[in-house]
Amino acid sequence: MGYRSTILRAAEVDDDLGARWDALPAGRGDQADVYDSWAWHAASLRADPALARAVRIPAVLEGEQPVALLPVTVDRSGCWRSVGMDIRPRSRIVTRGEGPDPEALGQLAESLAGAGARSLALHRLPSRDPVTEAFLGALREAGYEVARRERSEDRLAHPTGDWAAHSRDYKSFAKYVRRFCNRVTPLWDLTMDTYGTSPELPAAEGFRVYAELQARSWKGPYDPMTMIRRRELALRAEQLGWVRIFILRVAGVPVAGHVWFRLGPVATWLSTAHDQGFDALSPGTMVQWLAQERLFAEQPPGVLDYLPGGSPQKDRLTPDRPVLLEVDAVRRSAVAGVALPARQQARRVVPAVRDRVAARLRRPEGGEGATPDQPIRLLATAPADGALPAAPLDASDPGLRRYLAVTSGEASPEAVAGTWAEDDGWWRIGSGPVALARLGADDVVREVVLLDGSTDGEDVAAPALAAALDRPVSVARTDPRGTRDGAPTVVRHALLPWPAAWVPTSP
């Protein structure tokens, strides 16, 4: 049976064709890519109905079987562009098999020309994918002038064996992660669940927890469209056996999540989210390595795909960085030589301007710091019988500082200590303890950390400290009629339980 070409609309991709489409990227060996799948396109189109109406899918079919596909949108200028250029880290020509099919790619290029596509803008094509060069050649044969430039790069690693071998290959990073884990495990349980591979831990629940972590991360919550797209992709990928959502917990509290996809030999890391309140524990670093250990336990991947873009983790874990290509193609005409450079220049300038504007919008108006002084009133508590026991803590203890950094949302033990006055001291309240308190040299309670769910932190701390010191202790409350300026006593709730095995100082 011979090939035939057509231009499909999104509404024409039914469940059967969608399943056949999803089988194509999964069968491409080391070039397998979730962003080529119908699962990704369907999730994106569901999130954005306007995009769904705009999509055209030049396709080469063999009977009912797709052989080559190139989903595009057509902009106001008439340029045919890769779908999702602003939400997709790269794109490819969707094809059957690991290598190029010259006949199918030739028909695909001719179908574009026949449909009136005078110009094409193809987004970040992998330079190492053999289909890329073959398709660019097919475009030239179909009468297009093709210009290409390097834009970004893939971030890849190629494991050489099992988990033990992988850990040896990245020994410094494994040691780096182990140091963070060893700070946590003596104090709390460190556990991780894998969602999306069993009915007991479905992808929907894993994504719910992941989205909550995203909202508490430095990235902030998903916008509604991204939320729909990411969730829908996770659910569709679950049905295909592709998705892995890893949730890392400390003492049962979710602190970080990782989303991976497995297509054939390729494991692709989609994203990480961690609660920035736990920055002092480095949960994002821990979940990165622990998630990979789970992937290797299933079956060692042939390729670890970290996606384009830089980060400190990627810099340490991705020795292979093949370039990605932005491709502009125009049909030969009298103005082609003029239009193509102008279009290339616009495509360089517009994203750069957009990135600068976005960075400016993200820039905070002022720096973070301590609570500014405001009118306060001091409420003194005299020593009395019946108060909870209190005892001083060693504020230089790195473990205590790390715990307090998590409670206050500071990035490190050093950062949280920098928010204290030189003569401040920390105290343990109750035998549980039920609270921790930071007391200034002037016997004013600066900060209270509650561990038992109580909301009366000042009422718990001040009587205990007054009894222990046998002198009055005050708390500071905001009062517009206050007679002095200062910072009110801060009351926080601990994010983690006090470690049962860790008692720096007994009361």
Side-chain angles (χ1 to χ4, degrees), residues 128-197:
R128 193 177 291 168
D129 186 340
V131 171
T132 296
E133 287 297 335
F135 185 63
L136 299 189
L139 287 174
R140 294 186 183 98
E141 289 293 321
Y144 286 90
E145 297 218 9
V146 177
R148 49 193 279 174
R149 63 187 177 86
E150 297 181 1
R151 172 72 185 274
S152 188
E153 57 190 13
D154 264 326
R155 294 297 190 101
L156 307 174
H158 303 274
T160 58
D162 59 10
W163 178 247
H166 188 63
S167 297
R168 286 194 299 271
D169 289 342
Y170 297 91
K171 180 170 58 177
S172 65
F173 191 79
K175 184 178 180 180
Y176 178 65
V177 175
R178 190 160 54 246
R179 184 167 75 248
F180 295 126
C181 292
N182 289 342
R183 291 173 180 171
V184 173
T185 52
L187 307 179
W188 303 284
D189 289 336
L190 183 65
T191 59
M192 190 168 69
D193 290 319
T194 306
Y195 293 84
T197 60

Side-chain angles (χ1 to χ4, degrees), residues 308-322:
S311 74
Q313 288 185 4
K314 290 185 182 184
D315 291 345
R316 299 182 69 170
L317 296 172
T318 57
D320 188 19
R321 303 175 186 180

